[in-house]
Amino acid sequence: MSISDADKGIRALAAERRLPQAHLERWLGLDALSRNEFLNLARKLRMRTGQIVAALEMLDEIAVRERVTVAAVLEREEIHRAAGSAGSTPARAHAFVEAIRAIRFPRLKRTQQRLRAEIAALKLPRGISVVLPKELGSDELTVSIRASSGDELARLVSALE
């Protein structure tokens, strides 16, 4: 794909997704290979506007921090694995953005993994789930109990105690 074709494709996708002008300019400001690679992934994954915005911001931050191009970041195995994972296109787009987030915020990712491991170590019975706040942006977590009878509810509450 020539540069002008890629830029036309970017502008067309940006118009279709109603991408804000600032983010379009950020995308067009990337080097030619990076622009083209991100366009291919955005099309393949049918990324939503918010996903495009988030991915562009995080990719730019990673590229600056590591002094590499966005294309170099997109070549990483974890990015390819997420973009090519099994599942629906929206699920793959979500996995792609989450893979970028893990690279951008490695300490957050490690903390989330540690907390998930600690929750798993509790060996809570089926019917009890613990949900961490998104991006650990709060000090609250959600505990859900799913029971189909009074006896089951009593058993789960007892296990939780």
Side-chain angles (χ1 to χ4, degrees), residues 98-137:
E98 288 304 310
I100 295 169
R101 184 170 282 115
I103 294 168
R104 173 61 186 96
F105 302 106
R107 286 180 38 203
L108 174 64
K109 183 68 173 177
R110 285 192 303 271
T111 301
Q112 288 173 324
Q113 289 172 332
R114 182 180 53 79
L115 289 171
R116 285 187 189 108
E118 289 179 14
I119 291 168
L122 295 173
K123 297 185 179 177
L124 296 170
R126 173 176 271 165
I128 299 176
S129 63
V130 178
V131 179
L132 296 171
K134 183 175 171 106
E135 297 175 17
L136 303 180

Side-chain angles (χ1 to χ4, degrees), residues 56-155:
L56 280 171
E57 288 177 356
M58 289 185 289
L59 286 166
D60 189 42
E61 291 168 358
I62 294 166
V64 168
R65 180 183 69 201
E66 297 181 5
R67 296 185 179 111
V68 297
T69 64
V70 167
V73 177
L74 293 173
E75 285 297 316
R76 294 185 182 180
E77 177 60 32
E78 59 264 43
I79 300 291
H80 280 283
R81 193 176 327 114
S85 63
S88 67
T89 303
R92 288 182 302 142
H94 177 76
F96 171 74
V97 173
E98 288 304 310
I100 295 169
R101 184 170 282 115
I103 294 168
R104 173 61 186 96
F105 302 106
R107 286 180 38 203
L108 174 64
K109 183 68 173 177
R110 285 192 303 271
T111 301
Q112 288 173 324
Q113 289 172 332
R114 182 180 53 79
L115 289 171
R116 285 187 189 108
E118 289 179 14
I119 291 168
L122 295 173
K123 297 185 179 177
L124 296 170
R126 173 176 271 165
I128 299 176
S129 63
V130 178
V131 179
L132 296 171
K134 183 175 171 106
E135 297 175 17
L136 303 180
S138 167
D139 57 355
E140 296 178 1
L141 57 87
T142 302
V143 177
S144 298
I145 300 175
R146 294 183 75 184
S148 57
S149 70
D151 289 341
E152 184 179 10
L153 178 60
R155 181 183 61 80

Side-chain angles (χ1 to χ4, degrees), residues 35-55:
R35 284 194 311 265
N36 195 29
E37 290 296 316
F38 189 73
L39 174 61
N40 291 337
L41 283 165
R43 283 179 173 162
K44 174 183 172 185
L45 299 173
R46 289 184 275 185
M47 294 171 65
R48 296 184 325 266
T49 304
Q51 291 172 321
I52 292 171
V53 167

Side-chain angles (χ1 to χ4, degrees), residues 24-36:
L24 172 60
E25 289 172 11
R26 173 178 279 178
W27 193 349
L28 292 171
L30 299 175
D31 63 279
L33 182 58
S34 297
R35 284 194 311 265
N36 195 29

